[in-house]
Amino acid sequence: MSGRQTGAEKMKLTFNTLIADVSLAVNATTNYQNGKYPQAIADLQSVLDYEPKNWEARLMLAACYFKTGQWSAAQRAFQHIYDRTDNMDTRQKALEG
């Protein structure tokens, strides 16, 4: 083998990454809804490693920080969203915190 990935190997890797991302997002949402904010924070940070511009995950992460009393982390997370997106709905959610 030449060390280069075939199209099928690349597709499998992309698919596995997508499944991992979705699984983490589902876990994060479930943990958030059940008030397990520290677990949700860990899951959301992993989601954002895969998809840094996932604004919904960032909003949920900011809310988790807020709900756990991590005020400065929450403020930084909301500010990060506001500064880096042009989507007005997302910006409004960040402002409403």
Coordinates of all heavy atoms in Angstrom, one line a residue:
M1 N 0.8 -1.2 0.0 CA 0.0 0.0 0.0 C 0.9 1.2 0.0 O 1.9 1.3 0.6 CB -0.9 0.0 1.2 CG -1.9 -1.1 1.1 SD -3.5 -0.8 2.0 CE -4.1 0.7 1.4
S2 N 0.4 2.3 -0.6 CA 1.1 3.5 -0.8 C 1.0 4.5 0.4 O 1.7 5.5 0.4 CB 0.7 4.2 -2.1 OG -0.6 4.7 -1.9
G3 N 0.1 4.2 1.4 CA -0.1 5.1 2.5 C -1.1 6.1 2.2 O -1.5 6.9 3.1
R4 N -1.6 6.2 1.0 CA -2.6 7.1 0.6 C -4.0 6.5 0.8 O -4.2 5.3 0.6 CB -2.5 7.6 -0.8 CG -1.2 8.4 -1.1 CD -1.0 8.8 -2.5 NE -2.2 9.6 -2.9 CZ -2.2 10.2 -4.0 NH1 -1.3 10.1 -4.9 NH2 -3.3 11.0 -4.3
Q5 N -4.9 7.3 1.2 CA -6.3 6.8 1.5 C -7.1 6.7 0.2 O -7.0 7.6 -0.7 CB -7.1 7.7 2.4 CG -6.6 7.6 3.9 CD -7.4 8.5 4.7 OE1 -7.9 9.6 4.3 NE2 -7.6 8.1 6.0
T6 N -7.8 5.6 0.1 CA -8.7 5.5 -1.1 C -10.0 6.3 -0.8 O -10.2 6.8 0.3 CB -9.2 4.0 -1.3 OG1 -10.0 3.6 -0.2 CG2 -8.0 3.1 -1.4
G7 N -10.8 6.5 -1.9 CA -12.0 7.3 -1.7 C -12.9 6.6 -0.7 O -13.5 7.3 0.2
A8 N -13.0 5.3 -0.7 CA -13.8 4.6 0.3 C -13.3 4.8 1.7 O -14.1 4.9 2.7 CB -13.9 3.1 0.0
E9 N -12.0 4.8 1.9 CA -11.4 5.0 3.2 C -11.7 6.4 3.7 O -12.0 6.6 4.9 CB -9.9 4.7 3.2 CG -9.6 3.3 3.0 CD -8.1 3.0 2.8 OE1 -7.4 3.9 2.2 OE2 -7.6 1.9 3.1
K10 N -11.6 7.4 2.9 CA -11.9 8.8 3.2 C -13.4 8.9 3.6 O -13.7 9.6 4.6 CB -11.5 9.7 2.1 CG -10.1 9.9 1.9 CD -9.8 10.8 0.7 CE -8.3 10.9 0.4 NZ -8.0 11.8 -0.7
M11 N -14.2 8.2 2.8 CA -15.7 8.3 3.1 C -16.0 7.7 4.4 O -16.8 8.2 5.2 CB -16.5 7.6 2.0 CG -18.0 7.8 2.2 SD -18.9 7.0 0.9 CE -18.4 8.0 -0.5
K12 N -15.3 6.5 4.7 CA -15.6 5.9 6.0 C -15.1 6.7 7.2 O -15.8 6.9 8.2 CB -14.8 4.5 6.0 CG -15.1 3.7 7.3 CD -14.3 2.4 7.3 CE -14.6 1.6 8.6 NZ -13.9 0.4 8.6
L13 N -14.0 7.4 7.0 CA -13.4 8.3 8.1 C -14.4 9.4 8.3 O -14.7 9.8 9.4 CB -12.0 8.8 7.7 CG -11.4 9.7 8.7 CD1 -11.2 9.0 10.1 CD2 -10.0 10.2 8.2
T14 N -14.9 10.0 7.2 CA -15.8 11.2 7.3 C -17.1 10.7 8.0 O -17.6 11.4 8.8 CB -16.1 11.7 5.9 OG1 -14.9 12.2 5.3 CG2 -17.1 12.9 5.9
F15 N -17.6 9.5 7.6 CA -18.8 9.0 8.2 C -18.6 8.8 9.7 O -19.5 9.1 10.5 CB -19.2 7.7 7.5 CG -20.5 7.1 8.0 CD1 -21.7 7.6 7.7 CD2 -20.4 6.0 8.8 CE1 -22.9 7.1 8.3 CE2 -21.5 5.4 9.4 CZ -22.8 5.9 9.1
N16 N -17.5 8.1 10.0 CA -17.3 7.9 11.5 C -17.1 9.2 12.3 O -17.6 9.2 13.4 CB -16.0 7.0 11.6 CG -16.2 5.6 11.2 OD1 -17.3 5.1 11.1 ND2 -15.1 4.9 10.9
T17 N -16.5 10.2 11.7 CA -16.4 11.5 12.4 C -17.8 12.1 12.5 O -18.1 12.6 13.6 CB -15.5 12.4 11.6 OG1 -14.2 11.8 11.4 CG2 -15.4 13.8 12.2
L18 N -18.6 12.0 11.5 CA -20.0 12.5 11.6 C -20.8 11.8 12.7 O -21.4 12.5 13.5 CB -20.7 12.4 10.3 CG -22.1 12.9 10.2 CD1 -22.2 14.4 10.5 CD2 -22.7 12.6 8.8
I19 N -20.7 10.5 12.7 CA -21.4 9.7 13.8 C -20.9 10.1 15.1 O -21.7 10.3 16.1 CB -21.2 8.2 13.5 CG1 -21.9 7.8 12.2 CG2 -21.8 7.4 14.7 CD1 -23.4 8.1 12.2
A20 N -19.6 10.3 15.3 CA -19.1 10.7 16.6 C -19.6 12.0 17.0 O -20.0 12.3 18.2 CB -17.5 10.6 16.6
D21 N -19.6 13.0 16.1 CA -20.1 14.3 16.3 C -21.6 14.3 16.7 O -21.9 15.0 17.7 CB -19.9 15.2 15.1 CG -20.1 16.7 15.3 OD1 -19.9 17.1 16.5 OD2 -20.5 17.4 14.4
V22 N -22.4 13.6 16.0 CA -23.8 13.5 16.3 C -24.0 12.9 17.7 O -24.8 13.3 18.5 CB -24.6 12.8 15.2 CG1 -26.0 12.4 15.6 CG2 -24.6 13.6 13.9
S23 N -23.3 11.8 18.0 CA -23.4 11.1 19.2 C -23.0 12.0 20.4 O -23.7 12.1 21.4 CB -22.5 9.9 19.2 OG -22.5 9.2 20.5
L24 N -22.0 12.8 20.2 CA -21.6 13.7 21.3 C -22.6 14.8 21.5 O -22.9 15.2 22.6 CB -20.2 14.4 20.9 CG -19.0 13.5 21.1 CD1 -17.8 14.2 20.5 CD2 -18.7 13.3 22.6
A25 N -23.2 15.3 20.4 CA -24.2 16.3 20.4 C -25.5 15.8 21.1 O -26.1 16.5 22.0 CB -24.6 16.8 19.0
V26 N -25.9 14.6 20.8 CA -27.0 14.0 21.5 C -26.7 13.8 23.0 O -27.6 14.2 23.8 CB -27.4 12.6 20.9 CG1 -28.4 11.9 21.7 CG2 -27.9 12.9 19.5
N27 N -25.6 13.3 23.3 CA -25.2 13.2 24.8 C -25.2 14.5 25.5 O -25.7 14.7 26.6 CB -23.8 12.5 24.9 CG -23.8 11.1 24.6 OD1 -24.8 10.4 24.5 ND2 -22.6 10.5 24.3
A28 N -24.6 15.6 24.8 CA -24.6 16.9 25.4 C -26.0 17.4 25.7 O -26.3 18.0 26.7 CB -23.8 17.8 24.5
T29 N -26.9 17.3 24.7 CA -28.2 17.8 24.8 C -28.9 17.0 25.9 O -29.6 17.6 26.8 CB -29.0 17.6 23.5 OG1 -28.3 18.4 22.5 CG2 -30.4 18.1 23.6
T30 N -28.8 15.7 26.0 CA -29.4 14.9 27.0 C -28.9 15.3 28.4 O -29.7 15.5 29.4 CB -29.2 13.4 26.8 OG1 -29.7 13.1 25.5 CG2 -29.8 12.5 27.9
N31 N -27.6 15.4 28.5 CA -27.0 15.9 29.8 C -27.5 17.2 30.2 O -27.8 17.5 31.4 CB -25.5 15.8 29.8 CG -25.0 14.4 29.8 OD1 -25.6 13.5 30.5 ND2 -23.9 14.1 29.2
Y32 N -27.6 18.2 29.3 CA -28.1 19.5 29.6 C -29.5 19.5 30.0 O -29.9 20.1 31.1 CB -28.0 20.4 28.3 CG -28.4 21.8 28.5 CD1 -27.6 22.8 29.1 CD2 -29.7 22.2 28.2 CE1 -28.1 24.0 29.3 CE2 -30.2 23.4 28.4 CZ -29.4 24.4 28.9 OH -29.8 25.7 29.2
Q33 N -30.4 18.7 29.3 CA -31.8 18.6 29.7 C -32.0 18.0 31.1 O -32.9 18.3 31.7 CB -32.5 17.9 28.6 CG -32.7 18.7 27.3 CD -33.2 17.8 26.2 OE1 -33.2 16.6 26.2 NE2 -33.7 18.5 25.2
N34 N -31.1 17.1 31.4 CA -31.2 16.4 32.7 C -30.4 17.2 33.8 O -30.3 16.6 34.9 CB -30.6 15.0 32.6 CG -31.6 14.1 31.8 OD1 -32.8 14.3 31.8 ND2 -31.0 13.2 31.0
G35 N -29.9 18.4 33.5 CA -29.2 19.2 34.6 C -27.8 18.7 34.9 O -27.3 19.1 35.9
K36 N -27.3 17.8 34.0 CA -25.9 17.3 34.3 C -24.9 18.2 33.5 O -24.3 17.8 32.5 CB -25.8 15.8 33.8 CG -26.7 14.9 34.5 CD -26.6 13.5 34.0 CE -27.5 12.5 34.8 NZ -27.4 11.2 34.2
Y37 N -24.8 19.4 34.0 CA -24.1 20.4 33.2 C -22.6 20.1 33.1 O -22.0 20.4 32.0 CB -24.3 21.8 33.9 CG -25.8 22.1 33.9 CD1 -26.4 22.4 35.1 CD2 -26.5 22.2 32.7 CE1 -27.8 22.6 35.2 CE2 -27.9 22.5 32.8 CZ -28.5 22.7 34.0 OH -29.9 23.0 34.0
P38 N -21.9 19.6 34.1 CA -20.5 19.3 33.9 C -20.2 18.3 32.8 O -19.3 18.4 32.0 CB -20.0 18.8 35.3 CG -20.9 19.4 36.2 CD -22.3 19.5 35.5
Q39 N -21.1 17.3 32.7 CA -21.0 16.3 31.6 C -21.3 16.9 30.3 O -20.6 16.6 29.3 CB -21.9 15.1 31.9 CG -21.5 14.3 33.1 CD -22.3 14.7 34.4 OE1 -22.6 15.9 34.6 NE2 -22.5 13.8 35.2
A40 N -22.3 17.8 30.3 CA -22.7 18.5 29.0 C -21.5 19.4 28.6 O -21.2 19.4 27.4 CB -23.9 19.3 29.2
I41 N -20.9 20.0 29.5 CA -19.7 20.9 29.1 C -18.6 20.0 28.5 O -18.1 20.4 27.4 CB -19.1 21.6 30.4 CG1 -20.1 22.7 30.8 CG2 -17.8 22.2 30.1 CD1 -19.8 23.3 32.2
A42 N -18.3 18.9 29.0 CA -17.3 18.0 28.4 C -17.7 17.6 27.0 O -16.9 17.6 26.1 CB -17.0 16.8 29.3
D43 N -18.9 17.2 26.9 CA -19.4 16.7 25.6 C -19.4 17.9 24.6 O -19.0 17.7 23.4 CB -20.9 16.2 25.7 CG -20.9 14.9 26.4 OD1 -19.9 14.2 26.5 OD2 -22.0 14.6 27.0
L44 N -19.9 19.1 25.0 CA -19.9 20.2 24.1 C -18.5 20.6 23.7 O -18.3 21.0 22.5 CB -20.7 21.4 24.8 CG -22.2 21.1 24.9 CD1 -22.8 22.0 25.9 CD2 -22.9 21.2 23.6
Q45 N -17.6 20.6 24.6 CA -16.2 20.9 24.2 C -15.7 20.0 23.1 O -15.0 20.4 22.2 CB -15.3 21.0 25.4 CG -15.6 22.1 26.3 CD -14.9 22.1 27.7 OE1 -14.6 21.0 28.2 NE2 -14.7 23.2 28.3
S46 N -16.1 18.7 23.2 CA -15.7 17.7 22.2 C -16.4 18.0 20.9 O -15.7 17.9 19.8 CB -16.0 16.3 22.7 OG -15.2 16.0 23.8
V47 N -17.6 18.3 20.9 CA -18.4 18.7 19.7 C -17.7 19.8 19.0 O -17.5 19.8 17.8 CB -19.8 19.1 20.0 CG1 -20.5 19.7 18.8 CG2 -20.6 17.8 20.5
L48 N -17.3 20.8 19.8 CA -16.6 22.0 19.2 C -15.2 21.8 18.7 O -14.8 22.5 17.8 CB -16.7 23.2 20.2 CG -18.1 23.7 20.5 CD1 -18.1 24.6 21.7 CD2 -18.7 24.4 19.3
D49 N -14.6 20.7 19.2 CA -13.3 20.3 18.6 C -13.5 19.8 17.2 O -12.7 20.1 16.3 CB -12.7 19.1 19.4 CG -12.1 19.6 20.7 OD1 -11.9 20.8 20.9 OD2 -11.9 18.7 21.6
Y50 N -14.6 19.1 16.9 CA -15.0 18.7 15.6 C -15.5 19.8 14.7 O -15.3 19.9 13.5 CB -16.0 17.6 15.6 CG -15.6 16.2 16.1 CD1 -15.9 15.7 17.3 CD2 -14.8 15.5 15.2 CE1 -15.5 14.4 17.7 CE2 -14.3 14.2 15.6 CZ -14.7 13.7 16.8 OH -14.3 12.5 17.2
E51 N -16.3 20.6 15.3 CA -17.1 21.6 14.6 C -17.1 23.0 15.3 O -18.0 23.3 16.0 CB -18.5 21.1 14.4 CG -19.3 21.9 13.4 CD -20.7 21.3 13.2 OE1 -21.0 20.2 13.8 OE2 -21.5 21.9 12.5
P52 N -16.0 23.8 15.2 CA -15.9 25.0 16.0 C -16.9 26.0 15.7 O -17.2 26.9 16.5 CB -14.5 25.5 15.5 CG -13.8 24.4 14.8 CD -14.8 23.4 14.4
K53 N -17.6 26.0 14.5 CA -18.6 27.0 14.2 C -20.0 26.5 14.5 O -21.0 27.0 13.9 CB -18.4 27.5 12.8 CG -17.2 28.3 12.6 CD -17.1 28.8 11.2 CE -15.8 29.7 11.1 NZ -15.7 30.3 9.8
N54 N -20.1 25.5 15.4 CA -21.5 25.0 15.7 C -22.0 26.0 16.8 O -21.7 25.8 18.0 CB -21.4 23.6 16.3 CG -22.7 23.0 16.6 OD1 -23.6 23.7 17.0 ND2 -22.8 21.7 16.5
W55 N -22.7 27.0 16.3 CA -23.1 28.1 17.3 C -24.2 27.6 18.3 O -24.2 28.1 19.4 CB -23.7 29.2 16.5 CG -22.7 29.8 15.5 CD1 -22.8 29.8 14.1 CD2 -21.3 30.3 15.8 NE1 -21.6 30.3 13.6 CE2 -20.7 30.6 14.6 CE3 -20.6 30.5 17.0 CZ2 -19.4 31.1 14.5 CZ3 -19.4 31.0 16.9 CH2 -18.8 31.3 15.7
E56 N -25.0 26.6 17.9 CA -25.9 26.1 18.9 C -25.2 25.4 20.0 O -25.6 25.5 21.2 CB -26.9 25.1 18.2 CG -27.9 25.8 17.3 CD -28.8 26.9 18.0 OE1 -29.2 26.7 19.1 OE2 -28.9 28.0 17.4
A57 N -24.2 24.6 19.7 CA -23.4 24.0 20.7 C -22.7 25.0 21.6 O -22.6 24.9 22.8 CB -22.3 23.0 20.1
R58 N -22.2 26.1 21.0 CA -21.5 27.2 21.7 C -22.5 27.9 22.7 O -22.2 28.2 23.8 CB -20.9 28.2 20.8 CG -19.6 27.7 20.2 CD -18.7 28.8 19.7 NE -17.5 28.2 19.1 CZ -16.5 27.8 19.8 NH1 -16.4 27.9 21.1 NH2 -15.4 27.3 19.2
L59 N -23.7 28.1 22.2 CA -24.8 28.7 23.1 C -25.1 27.8 24.2 O -25.2 28.3 25.4 CB -26.0 29.0 22.3 CG -26.0 30.2 21.3 CD1 -27.2 30.2 20.4 CD2 -26.0 31.5 22.2
M60 N -25.2 26.5 24.0 CA -25.5 25.6 25.1 C -24.3 25.5 26.1 O -24.5 25.5 27.3 CB -25.8 24.2 24.5 CG -26.4 23.2 25.6 SD -26.7 21.6 24.9 CE -28.0 21.9 23.7
L61 N -23.1 25.6 25.5 CA -21.9 25.6 26.4 C -21.9 26.8 27.3 O -21.7 26.7 28.5 CB -20.6 25.5 25.6 CG -19.3 25.6 26.3 CD1 -19.2 24.4 27.3 CD2 -18.1 25.6 25.4
A62 N -22.2 28.0 26.7 CA -22.3 29.2 27.5 C -23.4 29.1 28.6 O -23.1 29.5 29.7 CB -22.6 30.4 26.6
A63 N -24.5 28.5 28.2 CA -25.6 28.3 29.2 C -25.2 27.4 30.3 O -25.5 27.6 31.5 CB -26.8 27.8 28.5
C64 N -24.4 26.3 30.0 CA -23.9 25.4 31.0 C -23.0 26.1 32.0 O -23.1 25.9 33.2 CB -23.2 24.2 30.4 SG -24.3 23.0 29.6
Y65 N -22.1 26.9 31.4 CA -21.2 27.7 32.3 C -22.0 28.6 33.2 O -21.7 28.7 34.4 CB -20.2 28.6 31.5 CG -19.1 27.8 30.8 CD1 -18.7 28.2 29.5 CD2 -18.5 26.7 31.4 CE1 -17.7 27.5 28.8 CE2 -17.5 26.1 30.7 CZ -17.1 26.5 29.5 OH -16.1 25.8 28.8
F66 N -23.0 29.3 32.7 CA -23.9 30.1 33.4 C -24.6 29.4 34.6 O -24.6 29.8 35.7 CB -24.9 30.8 32.5 CG -25.7 31.8 33.2 CD1 -25.3 33.1 33.4 CD2 -27.0 31.5 33.7 CE1 -26.1 34.1 34.1 CE2 -27.8 32.4 34.3 CZ -27.3 33.7 34.5
K67 N -25.2 28.2 34.2 CA -25.9 27.4 35.2 C -25.1 26.8 36.3 O -25.6 26.5 37.3 CB -26.7 26.4 34.5 CG -27.9 26.9 33.7 CD -28.7 25.9 32.9 CE -29.8 26.5 32.2 NZ -31.0 26.8 33.0
T68 N -23.8 26.7 36.0 CA -22.8 26.2 37.0 C -22.1 27.3 37.7 O -21.2 27.0 38.5 CB -21.8 25.2 36.4 OG1 -21.1 25.8 35.4 CG2 -22.5 23.9 35.9
G69 N -22.5 28.5 37.5 CA -21.9 29.6 38.2 C -20.5 30.0 37.7 O -19.8 30.8 38.4
Q70 N -20.1 29.6 36.5 CA -18.8 29.9 36.0 C -19.1 31.2 35.1 O -19.1 31.2 33.9 CB -18.3 28.8 35.1 CG -18.1 27.5 35.9 CD -17.6 26.4 35.1 OE1 -16.5 26.5 34.4 NE2 -18.3 25.3 35.0
W71 N -19.2 32.3 35.8 CA -19.7 33.5 35.2 C -18.7 34.1 34.1 O -19.1 34.4 33.0 CB -19.9 34.6 36.2 CG -20.7 34.2 37.4 CD1 -20.2 34.2 38.7 CD2 -22.0 33.6 37.4 NE1 -21.2 33.6 39.5 CE2 -22.3 33.3 38.8 CE3 -22.9 33.3 36.5 CZ2 -23.5 32.7 39.2 CZ3 -24.1 32.7 36.8 CH2 -24.4 32.4 38.2
S72 N -17.4 34.1 34.4 CA -16.5 34.6 33.4 C -16.4 33.7 32.2 O -16.3 34.2 31.1 CB -15.1 34.9 34.1 OG -14.5 33.7 34.6
A73 N -16.4 32.4 32.4 CA -16.4 31.5 31.3 C -17.7 31.7 30.4 O -17.6 31.6 29.2 CB -16.3 30.0 31.7
A74 N -18.8 31.9 31.1 CA -20.1 32.1 30.4 C -20.0 33.4 29.6 O -20.4 33.4 28.4 CB -21.3 32.2 31.3
Q75 N -19.5 34.4 30.2 CA -19.3 35.7 29.5 C -18.4 35.6 28.3 O -18.7 36.1 27.2 CB -18.8 36.8 30.5 CG -18.9 38.2 29.9 CD -17.7 38.6 29.1 OE1 -16.6 38.1 29.3 NE2 -17.9 39.5 28.1
R76 N -17.3 34.9 28.4 CA -16.4 34.7 27.3 C -17.0 33.9 26.2 O -16.8 34.2 25.0 CB -15.1 34.0 27.8 CG -14.1 34.9 28.5 CD -12.7 34.3 28.7 NE -12.8 32.9 29.3 CZ -12.9 32.7 30.6 NH1 -12.8 33.7 31.5 NH2 -12.9 31.4 31.1
A77 N -17.8 32.9 26.6 CA -18.4 32.1 25.6 C -19.5 32.8 24.8 O -19.5 32.8 23.6 CB -19.1 30.8 26.2
F78 N -20.3 33.6 25.5 CA -21.3 34.4 24.8 C -20.6 35.5 23.9 O -21.1 35.7 22.8 CB -22.2 35.1 25.8 CG -23.3 34.2 26.4 CD1 -23.4 34.1 27.8 CD2 -24.1 33.5 25.6 CE1 -24.3 33.2 28.4 CE2 -25.1 32.6 26.2 CZ -25.2 32.5 27.6
Q79 N -19.6 36.1 24.4 CA -18.8 37.1 23.7 C -18.2 36.5 22.4 O -18.2 37.1 21.3 CB -17.8 37.8 24.5 CG -17.1 39.0 23.9 CD -18.1 40.2 23.7 OE1 -18.8 40.5 24.7 NE2 -18.2 40.7 22.5
H80 N -17.7 35.3 22.6 CA -17.1 34.6 21.4 C -18.1 34.4 20.3 O -17.8 34.6 19.1 CB -16.5 33.2 21.9 CG -15.9 32.4 20.8 ND1 -14.6 32.4 20.5 CD2 -16.5 31.5 19.9 CE1 -14.4 31.6 19.5 NE2 -15.5 31.0 19.1
I81 N -19.3 34.0 20.7 CA -20.4 33.8 19.7 C -20.7 35.1 19.0 O -20.8 35.2 17.8 CB -21.6 33.2 20.4 CG1 -21.3 31.8 20.9 CG2 -22.8 33.2 19.4 CD1 -22.3 31.4 22.0
Y82 N -20.9 36.2 19.8 CA -21.3 37.5 19.3 C -20.3 38.0 18.3 O -20.6 38.5 17.3 CB -21.6 38.4 20.4 CG -22.1 39.7 19.9 CD1 -23.5 39.9 19.7 CD2 -21.3 40.8 19.7 CE1 -24.0 41.1 19.2 CE2 -21.8 42.0 19.2 CZ -23.1 42.1 19.0 OH -23.6 43.3 18.5
D83 N -19.0 37.8 18.7 CA -17.9 38.4 17.9 C -17.6 37.7 16.6 O -17.1 38.2 15.6 CB -16.6 38.4 18.7 CG -16.6 39.4 19.8 OD1 -17.5 40.3 19.8 OD2 -15.7 39.3 20.7
R84 N -18.0 36.4 16.5 CA -17.6 35.6 15.4 C -18.7 35.1 14.4 O -18.4 34.4 13.5 CB -16.9 34.3 15.9 CG -15.5 34.8 16.4 CD -14.8 33.6 17.1 NE -13.4 34.0 17.6 CZ -13.2 34.7 18.7 NH1 -14.1 35.1 19.4 NH2 -11.9 35.0 19.0
T85 N -19.9 35.5 14.7 CA -21.0 35.2 13.8 C -21.7 36.4 13.2 O -21.8 37.4 14.0 CB -22.0 34.2 14.4 OG1 -23.0 33.9 13.4 CG2 -22.8 34.9 15.6
D86 N -22.1 36.3 12.0 CA -22.9 37.4 11.4 C -24.4 37.1 11.5 O -25.2 38.0 11.1 CB -22.5 37.6 9.9 CG -21.1 38.2 9.8 OD1 -20.6 38.9 10.7 OD2 -20.4 37.8 8.8
N87 N -24.8 35.9 11.9 CA -26.1 35.6 12.0 C -26.8 36.3 13.1 O -26.5 36.2 14.3 CB -26.3 34.0 12.2 CG -27.7 33.6 12.3 OD1 -28.5 34.0 13.1 ND2 -28.0 32.7 11.4
M88 N -27.8 37.2 12.8 CA -28.4 38.1 13.8 C -29.2 37.3 14.8 O -29.2 37.7 16.0 CB -29.3 39.1 13.1 CG -28.4 40.1 12.2 SD -27.0 40.8 13.1 CE -27.9 41.9 14.2
D89 N -29.8 36.2 14.4 CA -30.6 35.4 15.4 C -29.6 34.8 16.5 O -29.9 34.8 17.7 CB -31.4 34.3 14.7 CG -32.5 34.8 13.9 OD1 -33.1 35.9 14.2 OD2 -33.0 34.1 13.0
T90 N -28.5 34.3 16.0 CA -27.5 33.7 16.9 C -26.9 34.8 17.8 O -26.7 34.6 19.0 CB -26.4 33.0 16.1 OG1 -27.0 32.0 15.3 CG2 -25.4 32.4 17.1
R91 N -26.6 36.0 17.2 CA -26.1 37.1 18.0 C -27.1 37.5 19.1 O -26.7 37.8 20.2 CB -25.8 38.3 17.1 CG -24.5 38.1 16.3 CD -24.3 39.3 15.5 NE -22.9 39.7 15.6 CZ -22.4 40.8 15.2 NH1 -23.1 41.7 14.7 NH2 -21.1 41.0 15.4
Q92 N -28.4 37.6 18.7 CA -29.4 38.0 19.7 C -29.5 37.0 20.8 O -29.6 37.4 22.0 CB -30.8 38.0 19.0 CG -31.9 38.5 19.9 CD -31.7 40.0 20.4 OE1 -31.2 40.8 19.6 NE2 -32.1 40.2 21.6
K93 N -29.4 35.7 20.5 CA -29.4 34.7 21.6 C -28.2 34.8 22.5 O -28.3 34.7 23.7 CB -29.4 33.3 21.0 CG -30.7 32.9 20.4 CD -30.6 31.5 19.7 CE -31.8 31.2 19.0 NZ -31.7 29.9 18.2
A94 N -27.0 35.2 21.9 CA -25.8 35.4 22.7 C -26.0 36.6 23.6 O -25.6 36.6 24.8 CB -24.6 35.6 21.8
L95 N -26.6 37.7 23.1 CA -26.9 38.9 23.9 C -27.9 38.6 25.1 O -27.7 39.1 26.2 CB -27.4 40.0 23.1 CG -26.4 40.7 22.2 CD1 -27.1 41.7 21.2 CD2 -25.3 41.4 23.0
E96 N -28.8 37.7 24.8 CA -29.9 37.4 25.8 C -29.3 36.5 26.9 O -29.8 36.5 28.0 CB -31.1 36.8 25.1 CG -31.8 37.7 24.3 CD -32.9 37.1 23.4 OE1 -33.0 35.8 23.5 OE2 -33.6 37.8 22.7
G97 N -28.2 35.7 26.5 CA -27.6 34.9 27.4 C -28.5 34.1 28.3 O -28.4 33.7 29.3

